[in-house]
Amino acid sequence: MSKTMKRSTVWLYDKTGAAFSLDHEIDGTAYVRPMVKVFFQSGYGDEMHEEEDVEPAKYLVAVERSSLFDAPPLVELNADIKARTEELAALKAEAKKAINELKSQRSAAEYKLADAKRQLDQWMQTHKGMIDLGKLLDGKILYPLSVDENSYHGARSVPHIPKMKDIAGLRVEGGDFEKGKEWRVKRYLSDGYHTSFQFFDTEEERAAVIQSEFDVTCARFRQKPDFTVDIYTTTNLHYGTLMEWVKKHPALSIPEDIKTMKAANDAELVEQRKAKLAAELAAMDAIAKAETRP
């Protein structure tokens, strides 16, 4: 079966660009052979190869001659391509719009979820005392800690761990529904000495808060160092205050940079003391020499 076409073959094309071999025409009707796929094998010995080609069919098809073209109808094909491209663009635009709407709905849902979480967190903080009381009534072990800002030096007071036996309970105050006054619960519990505190679910959480508050206090100390150590007071923030933190909470340690600052300060004080003593000795020696002169 030959793969080559005869030079005398007349080719016609429909609007889709499909090719036909013209056999003959009668009264405006063209009798053509459509192109069909053919397969043939070739080879030598045990090696065989199969190839695919196209050739005019053995049968004839009657088609109106006016619907056929002497050359591939590029105008019609381009118009069809343009129409299909516009259709695809419209589909893409519609899909993009749908995607944008879905993204907008997702953003709105995420915003509502974040707002709901914020409200829940706020509610949990507002009613933390009630929640902790419920945990205690369920038999859960909680870990109390009292941390207050020191109104004198602006840092934190040394945290106090209340004893469970001193905890009095939950305080609710101010309610009078007949007068339209809501009941209010204190955000924190208080012990028998009226010291406010918070409960933590684990000892590790409590220790982390103590460390964090100590870090804040050390940062405040660095802003205005005071290396006094002999007297511990609640009104001043000095090196003795940091020592008190470590004394009450042995897991803490004074940062190395502050220790270095303290050592340098002590060394400077020693030098100042030595200079003062040397001056005093020199003065005493001068007086002694003056008294022994005839």
Side-chain angles (χ1 to χ4, degrees):
M1 187 176 295
S2 175
K3 296 173 55 181
T4 60
M5 299 295 179
K6 295 180 181 180
R7 292 183 178 274
S8 59
T9 302
V10 178
W11 297 100
L12 298 176
Y13 305 87
D14 64 10
K15 66 178 182 179
T16 67
F20 298 86
S21 173
L22 177 64
D23 188 272
H24 61 279
E25 294 183 39
I26 299 177
D27 297 331
T29 300
Y31 294 87
V32 297
R33 301 180 187 276
M35 302 302 292
V36 294
K37 290 182 180 181
V38 293
F39 300 89
F40 62 92
Q41 294 179 340
S42 64
Y44 180 79
D46 295 334
E47 294 185 4
M48 298 296 292
H49 300 281
E50 185 174 83
E51 295 186 36
E52 177 182 331
D53 201 354
V54 292
E55 68 176 19
K58 301 299 183 182
Y59 56 88
L60 293 175
V61 177
V63 182
E64 290 186 9
R65 181 63 179 86
S66 60
S67 67
L68 298 176
F69 303 86
D70 295 327
L74 297 180
V75 176
E76 287 76 5
L77 286 176
N78 290 338
D80 187 50
I81 291 173
K82 181 181 179 181
R84 292 181 182 275
T85 301
E86 292 176 349
E87 182 181 2
L88 180 60
L91 290 174
K92 287 183 177 180
E94 186 177 351
K96 183 177 181 181
K97 180 180 178 181
I99 291 174
N100 289 337
E101 290 180 354
L102 289 174
K103 287 183 177 179
S104 177
Q105 293 174 7
R106 178 180 177 181
S107 297
E110 289 177 346
Y111 175 81
K112 290 181 180 179
L113 180 62
D115 185 60
K117 185 178 183 302
R118 180 189 59 78
Q119 293 183 33
L120 176 61
D121 291 341
Q122 183 178 358
W123 188 92
M124 293 286 286
Q125 286 297 322
T126 302
H127 301 286
K128 189 176 187 306
M130 291 291 291
I131 295 171
D132 289 339
L133 180 60
K135 292 178 180 178
L136 291 172
L137 294 176
D138 287 339
K140 182 176 177 58
I141 298 176
L142 299 178
Y143 300 87
L145 179 68
S146 174
V147 182
D148 293 321
E149 180 176 339
N150 191 296
S151 59
Y152 293 99
H153 53 65
R156 300 290 192 270
S157 298
V158 180
H160 166 65
I161 298 180
K163 295 181 180 180
M164 293 299 292
K165 66 182 183 65
D166 295 329
I167 294 176
L170 181 68
R171 177 180 174 183
V172 181
E173 59 185 17
D176 190 345
F177 285 120
E178 288 79 4
K179 295 182 180 181
K181 191 175 182 181
E182 296 181 354
W183 285 90
R184 297 188 179 276
V185 59
K186 288 189 64 177
R187 182 172 180 177
Y188 305 123
L189 301 173
S190 61
D191 61 16
Y193 298 98
H194 304 291
T195 301
S196 61
F197 66 93
Q198 293 186 69
F199 273 121
F200 295 89
D201 289 330
T202 66
E203 195 168 4
E204 289 76 16
E205 289 181 359
R206 180 172 66 182
V209 171
I210 295 174
Q211 181 66 61
S212 175
E213 298 293 354
F214 183 60
D215 293 342
V216 172
T217 302
C218 289
R220 193 61 175 260
F221 174 86
R222 292 185 183 95
Q223 296 176 3
K224 190 178 181 180
D226 182 351
F227 297 100
T228 305
V229 296
D230 54 345
I231 300 176
Y232 168 68
T233 67
T234 58
T235 57
N236 298 318
L237 175 58
H238 48 59
Y239 198 84
T241 307
L242 304 184
M243 294 175 64
E244 189 67 18
W245 274 76
V246 175
K247 178 182 177 182
K248 288 190 176 182
H249 305 284
L252 300 174
S253 62
I254 297 176
E256 291 300 322
D257 66 310
I258 294 180
K259 289 181 180 179
T260 301
M261 293 166 59
K262 176 67 167 57
N265 180 79
D266 290 349
E268 183 180 354
L269 292 178
V270 169
E271 293 300 322
Q272 291 176 2
R273 180 61 177 165
K274 287 169 62 177
K276 181 178 180 182
L277 289 175
E280 290 176 353
L281 288 173
M284 293 173 63
D285 184 59
I287 293 174
K289 288 180 179 180
E291 292 177 349
T292 57
R293 290 174 184 174

